[in-house]
Amino acid sequence: LLKKKGLTKQAIDHLCRAVDLDDALIEAHTIIAALCSEEHEFDRGIAHLRKALKARPGDMNIMFLLANALNTANYTEEALEYYRKSLEKNPESSSILYNIAYTLKKLGRIEEAMPYYNATLERDPNHSAAHFSRGLAYLATGNFQEGWPEYEWRWKQEKNQLSSREFPMPMWDGSDLSNKTIYLHAEQGLGDTFQFVRYAREVKKKNPKKIIVAVQNPLKDIIALCPYIDQVVLLTEKRPQFDTHAPLASLPYIFNTTVRTVPAEI
């Protein structure tokens, strides 16, 4: 009831009192851990998961929750150990395979991570997080040919603000833009806008009637200085009329960018 009222800290206190009174309330430890994570009290939550796992050493769910909590708190090596133990008990789990891959990538061990990404996608071809994360791994190693298509899976991830963007007009496929207006829209952080706005110059070579670029509020004036952009608007503004669109971070994919063909005249 306290949790439903948004009183998370008080809810945690009552749950802790409950497990002090009754060691058999193992699930209460996992609930405490989840609530502690919401409050960014990661070490406290991990301590409760350790108690739960000690009481039920073979419980797959608790072991996986502990691994996730350790990963979130950046106890990465220990998290990996628990993921591997979980995989021994459930070798066909796409979730465990993905988390091992993600954790190895987090540790910079990308070559080790790749077989686990591949195994994840063999079992679950539509695992959007695995596609996206594998894409980042490819890009980090300079394999743009494999990386950019996988990076497009960011649009299909849950809780992704990008997936809520809907357009009546089709996404640009790289074809000629004669007599067409294209709407390029920023995504993610301000740095990403600076990183990818260079591609508007490449779009200009496709002979568009007009290039409109939608950016975050702080960037409108500076992006307007780019001579190859015809109009700059805010993402929060009502969209002007256009014939086709593209997210800025999708332009390297559309242009089949390799390490050698990155536009470097800034």
Side-chain angles (χ1 to χ4, degrees):
L1 290 171
L2 288 166
K3 169 60 180 169
K4 285 182 179 179
K5 290 184 176 183
L7 303 172
T8 306
K9 288 185 181 294
Q10 290 93 322
I12 293 171
D13 291 339
H14 282 276
L15 285 161
C16 288
R17 179 67 177 143
V19 294
D20 286 342
L21 291 167
D22 186 354
D23 287 339
L25 295 173
I26 305 301
E27 284 72 18
H29 284 294
T30 64
I31 298 170
I32 292 169
L35 296 181
C36 284
S37 181
E38 290 181 18
E39 294 294 310
H40 295 273
E41 296 183 20
F42 301 118
D43 287 341
R44 186 180 180 188
I46 288 168
H48 281 278
L49 288 171
R50 290 191 194 281
K51 289 179 182 178
L53 189 60
K54 185 176 181 180
R56 291 185 188 167
D59 191 303
M60 279 286 302
N61 181 56
I62 296 172
M63 190 180 295
F64 189 63
L65 290 174
L66 177 57
N68 287 342
L70 289 164
N71 215 347
T72 302
N74 288 321
Y75 299 116
T76 317
E77 292 282 5
E78 189 179 3
L80 186 59
E81 289 178 20
Y82 279 108
Y83 286 135
R84 291 194 189 280
K85 289 178 182 177
S86 299
L87 189 64
E88 289 174 6
K89 295 177 179 294
N90 192 354
E92 295 302 311
S93 170
S94 59
S95 295
I96 298 171
L97 287 163
Y98 165 70
N99 277 279
I100 291 175
Y102 175 85
T103 307
L104 286 168
K105 181 170 74 69
K106 187 176 176 181
L107 289 166
R109 293 154 59 179
I110 293 177
E111 286 189 14
E112 280 185 69
M114 283 305 185
Y116 290 99
Y117 281 126
N118 296 339
T120 301
L121 293 168
E122 284 172 10
R123 289 157 178 77
D124 183 0
N126 294 313
H127 196 302
S128 58
H131 277 290
F132 174 66
S133 191
R134 185 172 69 171
L136 292 176
Y138 279 134
L139 293 174
T141 57
N143 184 349
F144 286 10
Q145 185 176 3
E146 302 281 356
W148 291 123
E150 291 283 77
Y151 190 63
E152 288 301 293
W153 279 81
R154 70 194 184 282
W155 291 89
K156 299 179 182 180
Q157 291 195 92
E158 293 181 10
K159 299 180 181 179
N160 188 333
Q161 62 174 346
L162 302 177
S163 60
S164 63
R165 291 189 189 178
E166 295 182 358
F167 296 88
M169 303 303 180
M171 184 168 162
W172 184 49
D173 60 3
S175 57
D176 186 75
L177 289 168
S178 296
N179 298 316
K180 292 182 179 179
T181 294
I182 185 169
Y183 177 86
L184 305 176
H185 43 105
E187 54 177 284
Q188 305 173 52
L190 305 184
D192 295 282
T193 302
F194 283 123
Q195 180 74 283
F196 296 110
V197 74
R198 69 182 72 188
Y199 279 90
R201 179 183 290 182
E202 302 304 306
V203 174
K204 193 76 171 178
K205 296 174 183 177
K206 297 290 184 175
N207 303 312
K209 177 181 177 182
K210 187 177 186 181
I211 296 177
I212 303 170
V213 178
V215 299
Q216 303 91 332
N217 290 30
L219 300 187
K220 185 174 182 180
D221 291 343
I222 194 167
I223 296 299
L225 297 174
C226 296
Y228 42 84
I229 295 172
D230 300 304
Q231 182 182 356
V232 178
V233 298
L234 297 178
L235 287 167
T236 51
E237 291 181 40
K238 182 180 179 181
R239 293 172 189 154
Q241 289 189 330
F242 57 89
D243 301 296
T244 187
H245 78 93
L248 283 180
S250 289
L251 291 173
Y253 165 67
I254 293 170
F255 280 99
N256 295 314
T257 299
T258 68
V259 173
R260 294 181 179 181
T261 63
V262 174
E265 294 179 6
I266 310 301

